[in-house]
Amino acid sequence: MMMLASQTSWFRFRDFARTPSLGRSVATMLVVAFAALILVNVTTFVMIQRTAGVNRTIEHAQQMRRASRTVLIAMLDAETAQRGYLLTGRSDFLQPFLDAEEKMKPAVAFLDEGAARDPTLKAPIERIHILADQKWTEMEATLNLARQGRIGQAIQSVRSGEGKRYMDELRTAIDDFDAIKSARIASRTHRMGAFGALTFTMNAITGVLLLVLALLSGWMVSRYVNEVQSAREEVHALNVGLEATVQERTGDLMRANEEIQRFAYIVSHDLRAPLVNVMGYTSELEQAGKVVDKAIVEAEKTRAVDPEVVMAVREDMPEAIGFIRASTAKMDRLINAILKLSREGRRNLSPEALDMTAMTQAIADSVHHQTEASGARIEVQVLPEIESDRLSMEQVLGNLIDNAVKYLDAERPGRIVVSGEEVAGGWAVYRIADNGRGIAPRDHERIFELFRRSGKQDRTGEGLGLAFVRNSVRRLGGTIDVESELGKGSTFVLKFPKRLILPETGASL
C-alpha cells in the first residue's frame, strides 16, 4: 500500500511538472526565489559570524591595552612607595610597593599570553618585560640598601637617574604598544562597519524580494479567483440542459480549485519558511549592530572614528532594519489574508434557517464599544428570515458593518441602518446604509477587487475584506452592489435566495 501511494504521488508530481500551467509557473518561480533567499540568508549568517569574530578580536585588543596601562600604573605606584620609604624610613610605605607587584603580575601574564597568540607582538611586549624587570630590580636594590641602614647610598642611587631612565623608557614602550593596538582596533572597527553595511544591504534586498513575492502571489490569487468566477458565470449562463457543457465547465472549476489549493500550500510552506529566517537574522543583525556601536564608543574614548562608519552603524543600519521589519510584517499579513481567502473557498456550506434580525443585532452589539466611543449608532430593523449558511452570512454582514463603522465621517454623528425586505421570485434583499465618507463612482467596482482600496488610506487593512464578501455572497447564490456618493455615505445592497440549494447537501463551491 505504501509503495502504491508513493508511486501515485510520483505520477501526480510528474504530470504536474510536465503539464504547462500557471500553477507550474508559480511553483517554479517560488522554488527559484526560495533558493535565492536561502543564499542571502547563508550570506547574512556568515557576515554576522565574521562580525562577531572581529568584535572578539577588538575586545581582546582593548584588554591588552588595559593590561599594558596596568603595568605602567603599578610601576608608578611602586616607585612612589619606594621613594616614600627612602625619605621617611616608615615600613608602612612598603605595602603599596607589594600591592603594585600583585597587580602587575596578572597584567604581565596577560600580555605574555597575547604575545603567544600573536607573534608580531612578541618584540614590543618583550621590550616592556625587560624595562619593567630593570626598573623593578633598581627599586628592590635601593630598598635593600635602606633596610641595611645605608640610606645615603640608596638615595644616591635614586639621584643617579637610572631609575628615571628606566621609567621613561618603559612609558615610551607602553605608549608604542598602545599605538600599535589602537591602529589595529581602528582597522578592525572599519572592517566590522563594512561587514555590517554588507549585512544590512543583503537583508534589505531580501525584504524587497519578499515584498515583491507577496504582491506577485496576491496577483496570482486574484487571477485565479477571477478565472474561477468567470468560469462560474459562464456555467450559469449556459442552458442547464446542456449536460456535456456543464460537465466541461465543472471540470475547469475543479482544476482551478486544485491549482488554488496547491498554490496555497506553496505559499504557506515555502514562502513562510524564509520569512521566519529573515525575521530571526534581522534580530541577530540588530544585536550585532549594538556590539559594533559599543566598540565604536570604546574607540571614541581614545581617538576619532571614521564618520562614515559611525553613520553606517548608528543611522543606516537601524533604518534598514526598520524597513525590513515593516516589510516582513506586511508580507505576513498578506500571506494570512491569502490563506484565509483560499480556505473559505474550500469550506463546505451548510444551509439552516437563520433569524437575520437577531444575527445582525448580535453583530451590531459586538462593535458597540467602537460606536459608543465615536458617538455613532447602529439601527437594525426587522429583517426577513432566510435559509442559508450561518458562518458565511455572519462573515458577510460582519465585514460590511465593520467597514461602515471604520469609515464613518468624523465631521458628523455616525448613523448606520440595516434594513431588508422580501422580493418576488423567492429572494430577500438587505441594505447596510451609512452616512460615512462615501465612495467615488469610479471606485464602485474596484473596491471588490483583491488588494484594491479607495479614498484616503488612513485606516488599517490589506484590501481583502470586500473581495472576500463578494466571493462569499456569490457562493451563497446572491449578488452585492454598492450605491454611494463622496461625502454623503454608502449603501451596500445584498440579494440572496430565500433558500440556498446546493447540488449535493454539504457540497462546497
Side-chain angles (χ1 to χ4, degrees):
M1 288 294 293
M2 292 184 62
M3 183 176 296
L4 181 60
S6 299
Q7 290 178 347
T8 302
S9 299
W10 163 250
F11 288 144
R12 289 179 178 175
F13 174 76
R14 185 186 63 183
D15 292 341
F16 175 74
R18 289 181 176 179
T19 304
S21 65
L22 188 58
R24 190 182 70 171
S25 300
V26 172
T28 303
M29 177 195 67
L30 289 179
V31 168
V32 172
F34 181 73
L37 290 173
I38 289 296
L39 177 62
V40 171
N41 287 332
V42 170
T43 303
T44 301
F45 178 76
V46 171
M47 289 297 101
I48 290 174
Q49 294 300 314
R50 289 186 178 181
T51 300
V54 171
N55 183 66
R56 288 192 294 271
T57 304
I58 291 175
E59 181 63 26
H60 186 267
Q62 295 282 22
Q63 292 175 353
M64 291 193 69
R65 289 178 61 194
R66 288 194 289 270
S68 66
R69 290 296 173 184
T70 299
V71 171
L72 179 61
I73 292 171
M75 197 64 72
L76 290 172
D77 290 344
E79 186 179 54
T80 301
Q82 169 211 20
R83 294 179 180 180
Y85 180 74
L86 294 179
L87 292 174
T88 64
R90 292 169 52 184
S91 59
D92 56 343
F93 274 91
L94 292 178
Q95 187 59 44
F97 184 86
L98 299 176
D99 293 342
E101 183 179 17
E102 291 301 318
K103 292 179 182 178
M104 191 169 60
K105 286 180 180 179
V108 171
F110 188 78
L111 291 175
D112 291 340
E113 179 186 347
R117 293 173 55 179
D118 186 355
T120 61
L121 298 176
K122 185 174 181 181
I125 291 177
E126 183 65 26
R127 182 184 174 197
I128 293 173
H129 245 309
I130 292 173
L131 292 171
D133 290 343
Q134 289 175 341
K135 176 60 180 176
W136 200 265
T137 300
E138 180 267 334
M139 289 189 293
E140 285 189 330
T142 57
L143 292 176
N144 288 334
L145 288 174
R147 292 189 188 100
Q148 296 170 9
R150 300 158 64 184
I151 296 294
Q153 187 175 350
I155 292 176
Q156 187 62 33
S157 177
V158 172
R159 289 176 176 174
S160 69
E162 182 182 22
K164 180 180 182 303
R165 180 173 58 83
Y166 289 150
M167 182 59 72
D168 290 342
E169 291 180 2
L170 178 61
R171 184 179 288 105
T172 300
I174 290 176
D175 287 342
D176 292 343
F177 177 77
D178 188 83
I180 292 172
K181 299 305 291 183
S182 295
R184 292 188 179 184
I185 289 173
S187 174
R188 287 162 182 165
T189 300
H190 187 270
R191 284 177 57 197
M192 189 157 51
F195 285 154
L198 178 59
T199 301
F200 83 72
T201 300
M202 295 296 290
N203 275 273
I205 293 173
T206 303
V208 172
L209 180 59
L210 287 173
L211 183 59
V212 170
L213 285 175
L215 295 175
L216 185 58
S217 299
W219 176 78
M220 291 292 186
V221 170
S222 176
R223 182 174 173 182
Y224 274 123
V225 170
N226 290 334
E227 287 179 358
V228 172
Q229 189 58 41
S230 297
R232 183 180 302 161
E233 291 174 352
E234 290 177 10
V235 170
H236 180 73
L238 291 173
N239 191 318
V240 293
L242 300 177
E243 184 176 353
T245 304
V246 172
Q247 290 178 351
E248 180 183 353
R249 293 293 185 266
T250 302
D252 291 340
L253 285 173
M254 290 178 63
R255 284 190 293 273
N257 281 328
E258 289 175 357
E259 293 250 352
I260 290 176
Q261 292 176 20
R262 285 195 294 268
F263 178 76
Y265 178 85
I266 292 171
V267 169
S268 61
H269 291 79
D270 292 351
L271 193 57
R272 191 176 294 277
L275 178 64
V276 172
N277 287 338
V278 170
M279 290 179 174
Y281 285 132
T282 300
S283 298
E284 291 288 339
L285 175 61
E286 192 173 23
Q287 292 301 319
K290 293 179 180 179
V291 173
V292 173
D293 186 61
K294 180 181 177 183
I296 290 176
V297 171
E298 289 292 330
E300 287 177 335
K301 295 179 180 178
T302 58
R303 66 175 189 84
V305 179
D306 188 351
E308 293 184 359
V309 174
V310 175
M311 179 175 291
V313 172
R314 295 179 179 172
E315 297 182 16
D316 295 342
M317 286 182 65
E319 181 181 358
I321 291 172
F323 171 76
I324 294 169
R325 288 192 184 279
S327 298
T328 52
K330 182 173 183 180
M331 181 180 179
D332 190 52
R333 293 195 301 271
L334 288 173
I335 290 174
N336 290 334
I338 291 168
L339 290 177
K340 177 184 177 183
L341 189 63
S342 177
R343 293 191 190 102
E344 183 61 21
R346 300 192 304 273
R347 188 179 65 82
N348 290 335
L349 299 178
S350 179
E352 61 177 286
L354 302 177
D355 184 344
M356 296 297 292
T357 305
M359 176 190 296
T360 307
Q361 187 62 56
I363 295 171
D365 292 341
S366 69
V367 296
H368 178 68
H369 62 288
Q370 299 178 43
T371 56
E372 185 178 32
S374 61
R377 63 188 181 89
I378 301 177
E379 178 185 340
V380 180
Q381 299 179 359
V382 177
L383 305 175
E385 297 183 357
I386 62 172
E387 185 177 324
S388 190
D389 183 73
R390 176 180 295 276
L391 179 59
S392 295
M393 194 63 69
E394 287 177 340
Q395 290 174 336
V396 168
L397 293 174
N399 268 284
L400 293 176
I401 292 175
D402 282 342
N403 271 1
V405 173
K406 183 187 297 185
Y407 295 106
L408 287 173
D409 193 335
E411 300 298 325
R412 56 179 177 269
R415 184 170 183 264
I416 301 169
V417 178
V418 184
S419 60
E421 73 272 0
E422 295 185 15
V423 296
W427 294 84
V429 174
Y430 303 95
R431 292 181 177 83
I432 296 90
D434 64 68
N435 63 341
R437 300 179 181 180
I439 304 167
R442 68 176 182 275
D443 293 328
H444 284 187
E445 180 58 29
R446 65 183 292 179
I447 59 173
F448 294 107
E449 298 175 5
L450 281 170
F451 307 111
R452 302 297 291 270
R453 304 174 69 190
S454 68
K456 186 178 180 181
Q457 305 299 311
D458 59 346
R459 296 291 188 271
T460 58
E462 306 301 332
L464 285 167
L466 290 178
F468 172 78
V469 166
R470 183 170 67 171
N471 189 57
S472 298
V473 168
R474 287 174 173 173
R475 293 187 70 228
L476 296 175
T479 61
I480 180 171
D481 296 294
V482 62
E483 301 168 359
S484 183
E485 186 177 346
L486 275 177
K488 294 186 178 180
S490 304
T491 299
F492 285 87
V493 182
L494 302 169
K495 185 178 180 181
F496 294 105
K498 287 280 293 177
R499 183 182 181 189
L500 175 62
I501 300 177
L502 301 176
E504 294 179 5
T505 302
S508 62
L509 297 177

